[in-house]
Amino acid sequence: KAGVTQTPRYLIKTRGQQVTLSCSPISGHRSVSWYQQTPGQGLQFLFEYFSETQRNKGNFPGRFSGRQFSNSRSEMNVSTLELGDSALYLCASSSAVNTEAFFGQGTRLTVV
Amino acid sequence: EDQVTQSPEALRLQEGESSSLNCSYTVSGLRGLFWYRQDPGKGPEFLFTLYSAGEEKEKERLKATLTKKESFLHITAPKPEDSATYLCAVQGGNNRKLIWGLGTSLAVNP
């Protein structure tokens, strides 16, 4: 059974640019969550989607947005990148909202 | 406010030296407590889910326990391949978001 796939694995962007990250969940999983991980802050929740609807949202500015498609694949977008957005972005999928989540390998974003 | 605190921040053990990691939490109406393992540069790997005080789960050299205020991850006779960061997260009744601790970085020396 294929795991959660995130693309790309690494990304370097310039301040002010925008970026789109992609996540393909485990087959049959309808819930997808996104996290930002930095050494000092740990895992910070961005948002969660279930059946194409955003169910939960973390405390991030509006520059961070996401969406989920009918096949459960999800994308997150960050506009007007800042140096502080450099982080490992993780996607996790689960079969339902209250069950354990399985993570992808993450996308390492570096903003220069 | 829901909160998770893990201790110690870092732990160095000799191979075979058993120990425990702590995860203290405050949450309104615990729905579940989750343990994950994370290797450098990789996503967290799911280990256990605990739902109620008194519950215990085991996997190889790991055993997780839960009380009303904290959870322990016991590591028995660890091996170097157990070296990783161990993360704890809770999900409360009021808000289904997972609240994460900062993790315990475990190093097991051969």
Side-chain angles (χ1 to χ4, degrees):
Chain A
K1 189 174 185 182
V4 178
T5 303
Q6 290 188 246
T7 56
R9 289 292 314 277
Y10 303 93
L11 207 50
I12 299 175
K13 289 286 188 178
T14 304
R15 260 186 312 176
Q17 287 186 314
Q18 74 165 14
V19 66
T20 299
L21 312 182
S22 179
C23 171
S24 293
I26 292 172
S27 178
H29 284 192
R30 295 164 64 188
S31 175
V32 173
S33 298
W34 287 91
Y35 294 87
Q36 180 194 69
Q37 188 176 34
T38 56
Q41 298 293 317
L43 274 158
Q44 301 290 310
F45 173 77
L46 281 156
F47 24 68
E48 178 195 11
Y49 288 88
F50 185 82
S51 295
E52 300 181 68
T53 301
Q54 188 179 87
R55 297 287 287 263
N56 260 313
K57 190 176 189 305
N59 298 322
F60 278 80
R63 300 185 296 106
F64 292 81
S65 62
R67 58 178 176 169
Q68 186 180 33
F69 302 96
S70 58
N71 61 358
S72 293
R73 191 178 71 85
S74 179
E75 289 181 347
M76 68 162 281
N77 184 77
V78 188
S79 62
T80 320
L81 284 165
E82 302 176 358
L83 295 179
D85 296 333
S86 295
L88 181 66
Y89 289 88
L90 292 161
C91 165
S93 79
S94 59
S95 57
V97 173
N98 297 331
T99 62
E100 58 268 16
F102 296 89
F103 285 82
Q105 297 283 56
T107 293
R108 171 72 64 185
L109 172 64
T110 302
V111 182
V112 297
Chain B
E1 181 183 347
D2 297 345
Q3 190 170 329
V4 175
T5 303
Q6 291 188 247
S7 61
E9 289 185 17
L11 181 63
R12 186 174 295 274
L13 301 172
Q14 288 299 123
E15 184 171 4
E17 180 186 1
S18 301
S19 188
S20 296
L21 313 182
N22 178 265
C23 171
S24 298
Y25 64 90
T26 53
V27 67
S28 300
L30 180 71
R31 298 176 77 94
L33 184 142
F34 304 85
W35 281 100
Y36 285 80
R37 166 198 170 124
Q38 186 174 25
D39 293 301
K42 296 188 176 182
E45 174 189 346
F46 171 74
L47 293 174
F48 304 108
T49 307
L50 301 168
Y51 294 104
S52 57
E55 190 175 359
E56 299 182 352
K57 288 194 177 173
E58 287 188 70
K59 179 181 179 180
E60 296 180 355
R61 295 176 293 282
L62 301 176
K63 179 180 177 181
T65 61
L66 181 64
T67 71
K68 289 186 178 180
K69 294 183 178 180
E70 58 191 349
S71 176
F72 291 95
L73 184 65
H74 306 278
I75 303 176
T76 302
K79 298 182 178 181
E81 53 261 43
D82 295 322
S83 297
T85 295
Y86 290 85
L87 298 168
C88 169
V90 297
Q91 187 178 53
N94 292 339
N95 190 325
R96 294 178 178 177
K97 293 187 295 187
L98 283 175
I99 308 299
W100 293 82
L102 294 179
T104 293
S105 176
L106 173 67
V108 181
N109 297 326

